[in-house]
Amino acid sequence: MHEFGAAMAVRLNAGDLLVLDGPLGAGKTTFTRGLGEGLGIRGTVTSPTFVLARTHPSVVGGPALVHVDAYRLGDARELDDLDIDYANSVVVVEWGAGMLDGVSESWLELTLQRPTGAGPDAADSAELDGDEPRVVTVRGFGPRWAGTEFAA
């Protein structure tokens, strides 16, 4: 997931919004960590569960990365209340499915799936550290992604 995130970074621009969906342990934060590395941001990407959003400025003159955890948010209005600089950042929203009403006219939706038995509820802790394959479905919505391989 880390490598996939780093590879996706070259395709993104300021103003791009990504919504990540998948169960615990699917690789949402690992993807975002790779994306941050690819964007050349400052700081280590960690889950923003308790702070809701973290902004990581670029150290290479590119867009900042804003990493949002919408798990505890009720709706798009609460996401809007975070006062995120969408225009000048690449914004990643974990657990953001259904939260985009009026937030942006274009976004990428990434659905991450992990193999059955993998993840935080696995019985063997060695299995948690393994590099199991993931299935990622990427769908683009709105004019930004029309005509690309991601167009829904």
Side-chain angles (χ1 to χ4, degrees), residues 8-19 35 39 63-67 84-93 100 103-109 141 143-145 150:
M8 281 293 292
V10 300
R11 307 197 66 186
L12 301 175
N13 303 310
D16 286 341
L17 172 63
L18 289 79
V19 178
L35 183 65
L39 291 173
L65 171 66
V66 178
H67 185 199
I84 295 168
D85 183 3
Y86 290 97
N88 297 305
S89 307
V90 171
V91 178
V92 175
V93 182
L100 299 177
V103 172
S104 177
E105 66 179 356
S106 296
W107 68 92
L108 278 180
E109 178 182 281
F141 297 89
R144 163 72 169 97
W145 302 106
F150 301 130

Side-chain angles (χ1 to χ4, degrees), residues 24-25 28-29 45-54 56 67-73 82 92-95:
L24 289 172
K28 296 179 293 293
T29 299
V45 171
T46 59
S47 179
T49 299
F50 298 105
V51 296
L52 300 181
R54 282 196 177 93
H56 300 274
H67 185 199
V68 180
D69 187 324
Y71 186 77
R72 296 184 297 146
L73 300 179
L82 296 176
V92 175
V93 182
E94 292 189 29
W95 305 101

